[in-house]
Amino acid sequence: MEINQLVLLMLTGAKESLYMTLVATAFSYFIGIPVGVLLFITDKNGIWENKILNTVLGIIVNLTRSIPFIILLVAMLPVTRFIVGTSIGSTATIVPLVSAATPFVARMVESSLKEVDGGIIEAALAMGSSTFQIIWKVLLPEAKPSLMVGCTIAITTILGYSAMAGFVGGGGLGAIAVNYGYYRYQTDIMLITVVLLVIIVQIFQEIGMRFANRTDKRIKNS
């Protein structure tokens, strides 16, 4: 393969991988944040304690998280085809990516909210704040540094999932590694895709940690 073709191939693969990762992350957080908040506020001694709802949500989240992504990817092919109209390509991969990442995000959001000082929540309750006000003006702002770190972890995890999707025609760098590196035994192309994935992970990691540090009041006050 000529250099120009290789560069074009890698750029296309990187663009598809970024597209799948960022869109899937956005949808996962759009669904995962409300679920994570519900898990937190309905837990024992939560501000909206509800054992039944918490148990049902917890079971659904745990069951979905326990399914290996490659199995979920194959099992959701009919659903993906129904929603998107096709089961191959980068857009189609977003559906199982969101399904796999949402429970993961929900648990990370719940964990981040548990780090918030209980005294701040009690103070907000004492001032007569509503549940929505506590969530929007206290919990989420106070948990922002931890949420940013969690988002960084989620992005890198989803990027890894997107690479696995290459085995079923998912597109991106994973598909290039499978089609050229695995099936055609072109190890040099596989190594290049691995290096690109590592670089992308490092970039996201650096950006995420910088944002987390900027929003962390403990660092600002030290």
Side-chain angles (χ1 to χ4, degrees), residues 128-209:
S129 300
S130 65
T131 301
F132 178 79
Q133 287 174 326
I134 293 174
I135 293 169
W136 189 252
K137 296 183 178 181
V138 178
L139 288 174
L140 293 178
E142 289 293 326
K144 190 182 294 182
S146 181
L147 289 172
M148 289 302 304
V149 174
C151 184
T152 303
I153 297 171
I155 289 176
T156 55
T157 301
I158 293 172
L159 181 63
Y161 285 165
S162 71
M164 269 191 279
F167 277 100
V168 291
L173 292 172
I176 294 174
V178 171
N179 294 333
Y180 291 89
Y182 181 72
Y183 291 127
R184 302 184 186 182
Y185 302 102
Q186 295 178 316
T187 55
D188 53 340
I189 293 182
M190 180 179 286
L191 287 174
I192 292 173
T193 59
V194 170
V195 170
L196 284 175
L197 286 170
V198 170
I199 291 173
I200 294 172
V201 166
Q202 290 301 316
I203 291 173
F204 280 129
Q205 184 76 25
E206 183 66 23
I207 293 173
M209 293 310 298

Side-chain angles (χ1 to χ4, degrees), residues 4-72:
N4 292 338
Q5 292 177 323
L6 179 60
V7 171
L8 181 61
L9 180 67
M10 292 300 168
L11 286 176
T12 302
K15 184 175 71 174
E16 290 180 352
S17 291
L18 287 172
Y19 163 68
M20 289 186 291
T21 301
L22 295 177
V23 174
T25 301
F27 276 107
S28 298
Y29 267 85
F30 181 76
I31 304 171
I33 287 179
V35 175
V37 169
L38 275 175
L39 284 169
F40 175 74
I41 66 175
T42 59
D43 200 1
K44 186 178 181 181
N45 299 323
I47 59 176
W48 195 43
E49 185 176 343
N50 189 317
K51 185 177 181 181
I52 295 176
L53 179 58
N54 186 268
T55 301
V56 172
L57 278 177
I59 290 173
I60 293 173
V61 168
N62 291 337
L63 283 176
T64 312
R65 285 184 65 194
S66 65
I67 303 174
F69 177 69
I70 194 67
I71 296 176
L72 182 66

